[in-house]
Amino acid sequence: MGAMESSASQTSAQSPALVNWEIAAATAARLAPAGPTLGSAEIGAAVDNLRLMADISVPHVHDITGLEAARDLRDSSVLVVDRASWAKANTQSFAVMLQPAMEKMLEGRRGTVSPGAANVGGAITGGQLGAILAFLSSKVLGQYDPFSALAGNSTAPAAGRLLLVAPNIITVERDLNVEPADFRLWVCLHEQTHRVQFAAAPWLRHHMLAEIENLSGQLLGNVDSLMERAAAAARSLRDRSAPGAAPGRGAILDLLQNPEEKAALSRLTALMSLLEGHANVVMDAVDASIVPSVKTIRQRFNARGKDRGVIEKFIRSLLGLDAKMRQYSDGAKFVREVVAVAGMEGFNRVWESAGQLPTETEIHDSKLWLERMGL
């Protein structure tokens, strides 16, 4: 499938000595698996329909969440993209998220690495990141990107952009043999919820960026220690990817050792669990009056993934993707329990300030958060 709507935003080359972002984007575009075969008319129809479903989903998100932010989302945009465009957009976001930690790391290495060696290292790292993005580009149905507007020379709206990855949505709806319009609306309900979350909590973007900066700073702060732990984690992958093994958080996350690193990861895990779980609750709150075949979609979608190949299981373990699926269920359980006690209005206190966000412990024991909030 060719390019549909691609982002025109261009990110300046930040910290090129550590990551060559252009090589990352080009590598991802070259390695991304081909999408479904469609004619130009079919592509146009799919893009138009996805944009329609994205629009239709917003009032439903408002009705379910009660968040007034859903009434006005003009400071962000919706883009229907192909896999290469999704990967490029993520290199731009990564550049924003990792810039502070990378600049700190570069300052620490100044004078110890020649410019030529640094450029070679940046190209290698860019190629590695591009290969990872190529793999992920065929798995992601949609993504709200709140950081794109912060990139150098960005033309993205002030609050960011929602990316709907058309070839992946079409592939999945065909694999599941479900009604395309219903499935697309169901997916858009989840993705638009993320857009509404950041609109409801304008402070959230910079809070998340600060947490990511903190965690990435911990990871990149000691290169020698990081590489030693990476080698040890790599040796453990075989055991973790064995049949029947319990999914770990991923070898990369297993690098975290000291209390500061673990605390940073815990805060970010709690936040991601909340955002993903809330979006899943909204997605699952619809009934047949909104998505006629929703019961069939849920059953077939939840049954996916049981026949993954060995290589894919290995990569999912490495990246911690199975842990992300647990974030969906843990966060959704927290949201449902809070709503059952305090109603949606009580739950919506989480969007008032960073201090109202649940901790990772509270995600697993909603009574603690309810007590702290006096609900």
Side-chain angles (χ1 to χ4, degrees), residues 9 48 67 141 179 192 202-203 231 234 244 261 289 306 323 334 337 355-356 369 371:
S9 135
D48 290 344
L67 292 172
L141 300 181
E179 173 58 38
Q192 288 283 36
W203 52 267
E261 292 172 347
S289 67
K306 295 180 179 179
F334 169 83
E337 289 176 351
Q356 309 284 69
W369 185 84
E371 290 171 1

Side-chain angles (χ1 to χ4, degrees), residues 355-373:
Q356 309 284 69
L357 293 172
T359 64
E360 188 174 11
T361 299
E362 289 171 338
I363 286 287
H364 296 287
D365 188 351
S366 61
K367 294 190 297 295
L368 296 176
W369 185 84
L370 286 164
E371 290 171 1
R372 182 160 67 89
M373 294 297 107

Side-chain angles (χ1 to χ4, degrees), residues 18-20 23-24 27-28 31 121-134:
L18 292 181
V19 179
N20 187 314
I23 288 179
T27 300
L31 298 180
I124 293 173
T125 306
Q128 292 171 335
L129 176 61
I132 293 173
L133 288 173

Side-chain angles (χ1 to χ4, degrees), residues 9-10 87 94 102 210 216 243 302 338:
S9 135
Q10 299 292 323
F94 286 165
M102 287 187 170
S216 60
N302 291 337
V338 170

